[in-house]
Amino acid sequence: MASSTPHPPILKQPVRLACVQLASGPDKAANLAHAATKVREAAATGAKIVVLPECFNSPYGCDHFPSYAETLLPSPPTESQSPSFHALSAMARDNAVYLIGGSIPELVATTTNQDDSQKEKKTYYNTSLTFSPSGALLATHRKIHLFDISIPGKITFRESDVLSPGNTLTIIDLPDYGRVAVAICYDVRFPELAMIAARRGCFALVYPGAFNLTTGPLHWKLLGQARAVDNQVYVALCSPARDMSAGYHAWGHSMVVDPMAEVLVEAGEGEGVVVAELEGERIEEARRGIPLRDQRRFDVYPDVSRGFEEP
């Protein structure tokens, strides 16, 4: 039976969220300037949360990660260490938005002593930065699950040849609205992350991602709808635009899905901005009608959110 105990709203007030679907070329400075133009366009729609795609500042691919990687720690980095950090901060501040900055390749260089000599070790991550409307860094998410797949005759890709995985689930407080969780692309295939985030009070799960022409038509929308309906929250998927002249062909189709798995808005293949209004009542309506939160049988199976410690 559903509990009669009232649940506090998890989205404090309605908010407009925009996914910016853009193409990135080999010129990082041009990519950053283009992203700034599109974030301004998104903010002009009234969006207060703006999302950029995975690897928005560079071409996507293992061959590109090292040459485009930036040093983020110690934070804040200098502008020469991370022009993308400073560009994202300015985009958020100039447009007074919460900016979920897609992702960028990150470099962590460490020095070790071996055989009476110093050696530098370079570690790379696929990293998302989220900034407040004042331009302050709110959170950093390193992609937890690396994109290592092999579908015979279709696609083989191994991020782990270059990248290392993060080890932290990222939940972010947006004081004006509530909590969101940010993860990157392949992370969407692992429902445990979404379940923990939802049970920790997130009103939205946000996934910058670059699915391809094999997995995109099969699973992109399906996974967005699955994470939404399983957890009765909003899900935003933000893809790069498709560029058939690039080495990696992104699926596109950025979208926002509501707590009943309805696709509220969906982009096509090219560049564009898609915008959706998120409402707390829509979440509560889904949860009243299908009261999953009060019907789970933790006497039969464990609660994966138990024992999770927030950073």
Side-chain angles (χ1 to χ4, degrees):
M1 295 290 292
S3 170
S4 60
T5 304
H7 297 275
I10 63 171
L11 177 54
K12 298 175 186 177
Q13 60 178 314
V15 61
R16 189 166 290 181
L17 180 147
C19 291
V20 176
Q21 184 165 292
L22 50 80
S24 298
D27 186 331
K28 183 188 288 187
N31 293 336
L32 295 177
H34 185 46
T37 298
K38 300 305 280 187
V39 168
R40 186 162 58 250
E41 180 182 325
T45 70
K48 297 300 182 184
I49 302 173
V50 179
V51 187
L52 289 172
E54 182 178 22
C55 284
F56 81 95
N57 72 339
S58 68
Y60 177 77
C62 290
D63 293 341
H64 302 294
F65 295 140
S67 57
Y68 285 85
E70 301 179 8
T71 299
L72 299 176
L73 296 174
S75 189
T78 65
E79 190 151 3
S80 62
Q81 289 174 318
S82 182
S84 300
F85 178 102
H86 290 273
L88 288 167
S89 175
M91 291 178 217
R93 182 184 65 248
D94 293 348
N95 296 286
V97 296
Y98 289 101
L99 180 61
I100 298 170
S103 77
I104 65 172
E106 177 192 0
L107 165 65
V108 175
T110 54
T111 302
T112 59
N113 293 314
Q114 294 180 3
D115 302 325
D116 297 325
S117 64
Q118 289 190 331
K119 299 198 176 198
E120 185 179 62
K121 178 184 177 184
K122 294 183 177 180
T123 304
Y124 299 98
Y125 299 96
N126 189 343
T127 302
S128 181
L129 302 171
T130 297
F131 291 87
S132 75
S134 69
L137 179 67
L138 292 179
T140 300
H141 176 77
R142 289 171 171 165
K143 190 174 190 176
I144 296 172
H145 303 93
L146 298 182
F147 180 47
D148 287 5
I149 69 167
S150 181
I151 302 174
K154 298 286 188 180
I155 183 172
T156 296
F157 202 98
R158 287 184 54 83
E159 278 189 329
S160 65
D161 286 347
V162 176
L163 300 177
S164 294
N167 58 10
T168 303
L169 190 157
T170 303
I171 293 174
I172 308 168
D173 286 308
L174 310 183
D176 301 309
Y177 304 106
R179 313 180 99 190
V180 299
V182 173
I184 300 172
C185 199
Y186 202 58
D187 286 337
V188 75
R189 291 187 179 274
F190 298 86
E192 295 88 349
L193 289 182
M195 287 189 285
I196 294 169
R199 292 176 198 171
R200 294 286 166 159
C202 292
F203 66 83
L205 313 174
V206 181
Y207 298 95
F211 273 41
N212 53 74
L213 300 191
T214 297
T215 61
L218 288 171
H219 299 149
W220 176 254
K221 182 185 293 187
L222 174 67
L223 286 165
Q225 290 178 307
R227 297 294 82 84
V229 76
D230 281 351
N231 299 288
Q232 298 176 314
V233 295
Y234 287 96
V235 171
L237 306 175
C238 189
S239 171
R242 190 178 307 173
D243 179 0
M244 295 305 293
S245 68
Y248 183 89
H249 303 147
W251 173 236
H253 294 274
S254 298
M255 66 179 62
V256 181
V257 185
D258 84 352
M260 290 292 282
E262 179 184 350
V263 176
L264 299 179
V265 63
E266 179 178 355
E269 301 167 3
E271 290 199 327
V273 176
V274 292
V275 182
E277 191 85 16
L278 312 189
E279 300 174 343
E281 178 53 29
R282 204 155 181 160
I283 299 172
E284 294 309 309
E285 182 180 346
R287 295 181 177 190
R288 285 193 303 267
I290 307 174
L292 303 181
R293 63 185 165 192
D294 301 317
Q295 296 172 328
R296 291 191 171 92
R297 292 289 306 277
F298 296 135
D299 59 322
V300 176
Y301 45 79
D303 179 357
V304 296
S305 69
R306 292 195 64 179
F308 169 71
E309 295 184 5
E310 296 182 31

